[in-house]
Amino acid sequence: GSLDSGNSKSFKFIVATDSHLGSGQGNKNSALAFQDISLRHKDTSFLIHMGDITETGAQSEYEIFKNHIQGFEFPIFATMGNHESRWQDPQGTKFQQHFGPSSYSFDYGDWHFIILDTTHPEQGSGTLDPSILSWLENDLASLPAQKPVAVFSHHPLLYQTINFQDSDDRFLDIIEKYAVQVVFSGHGHSFIPWKVQGRSLFMSGALMDNTY
């Protein structure tokens, strides 16, 4: 799909993750962070939430999220984290009822955005399922040459310090043929930048720590 970005070459979007709604800290701090976003970023084009939206994947926790974002005047894109897929909703049925598919892509401005579901049903660690990897390869192959791409996932990809998921080799094999410029992830509740083969990668701090 494509969002209408008007004629503007530059635009702003918000990267957020790990709100853990349903936990005490998540309910308190994520509420403050969402309030801050709505007050300070009315000019944002969209927000991407990289998972652990909820603490346990319960319907009531998704409702809390819906209440927080109902005043936002920009689209919200989301994917699943291990807290969505581990306990109550291993196949992501509740997630899909609220947000649709957990892996998808869209165009905005000159960029192509890809959201990947790295969850492993009932596990804390992550993986990119073969079906998602093959979808990713087809999606990238369909793009005009040199179109810049940004990738988002819950578990960090190509993060050498700790391997949070087991798909790095296959992921790198796919993206090294394309203009993937930047990869964002959550899960680690820290702001950490690193580089792999000239590409920029960023882990983002957690909404439950009142950061985004």
Side-chain angles (χ1 to χ4, degrees):
S2 183
L3 285 179
D4 178 18
S5 57
N7 305 321
S8 166
K9 285 280 184 205
S10 72
F11 58 91
K12 168 172 126 182
F13 66 95
I14 291 175
V15 180
T17 188
D18 294 273
S19 44
H20 290 271
L21 297 167
S23 70
Q25 188 182 340
N27 287 351
K28 180 167 138 267
N29 286 343
S30 296
L32 294 171
F34 287 129
Q35 200 176 3
D36 192 63
I37 289 167
S38 72
L39 288 171
R40 291 179 49 208
H41 300 290
K42 295 190 190 303
D43 60 336
T44 195
S45 297
F46 52 88
L47 179 148
I48 294 178
H49 193 310
M50 298 180 294
D52 284 3
I53 298 165
T54 65
E55 182 65 10
T56 68
Q59 185 66 32
S60 59
E61 295 167 352
Y62 283 112
E63 297 298 337
I64 298 172
F65 181 62
K66 282 291 167 78
N67 289 339
H68 282 314
I69 62 171
Q70 65 185 358
F72 290 3
E73 289 169 20
F74 44 83
I76 308 288
F77 297 96
T79 192
M80 290 191 28
N82 50 294
H83 278 254
E84 274 72 63
S85 64
R86 196 162 177 183
W87 295 286
Q88 310 203 18
D89 190 21
Q91 303 311 318
T93 315
K94 289 192 186 80
F95 176 92
Q96 285 165 33
Q97 285 165 359
H98 288 285
F99 299 107
S102 49
S103 293
Y104 52 94
S105 64
F106 62 93
D107 293 310
Y108 194 89
D110 292 336
W111 282 74
H112 187 67
F113 291 82
I114 298 178
I115 321 285
L116 294 175
D117 179 353
T118 52
T119 61
H120 200 309
E122 300 179 356
Q123 306 292 318
S125 61
T127 193
L128 282 169
D129 188 81
S131 64
I132 290 177
L133 285 163
S134 102
W135 171 81
L136 171 65
E137 187 142 34
N138 290 335
D139 190 66
L140 287 166
S142 73
L143 297 175
Q146 297 315 308
K147 186 173 186 71
V149 177
V151 175
F152 302 79
S153 66
H154 180 66
H155 296 85
L157 296 158
L158 308 177
Y159 182 61
Q160 289 94 340
T161 318
I162 306 167
N163 206 348
F164 290 111
Q165 47 68 44
D166 60 10
S167 309
D168 280 345
D169 294 347
R170 289 166 299 162
F171 178 69
L172 191 57
D173 283 349
I174 293 170
I175 68 163
E176 62 188 2
K177 307 194 266 294
Y178 302 98
V180 174
Q181 309 273 352
V182 60
V183 180
F184 290 93
S185 62
H187 192 62
H189 294 215
S190 310
F191 287 101
I192 302 173
W194 68 101
K195 281 216 181 306
V196 176
Q197 294 186 0
R199 293 173 169 86
S200 299
L201 297 96
F202 298 95
M203 185 193 297
S204 175
L207 289 160
M208 76 179 298
D209 298 323
N210 196 8
T211 60
Y212 58 91

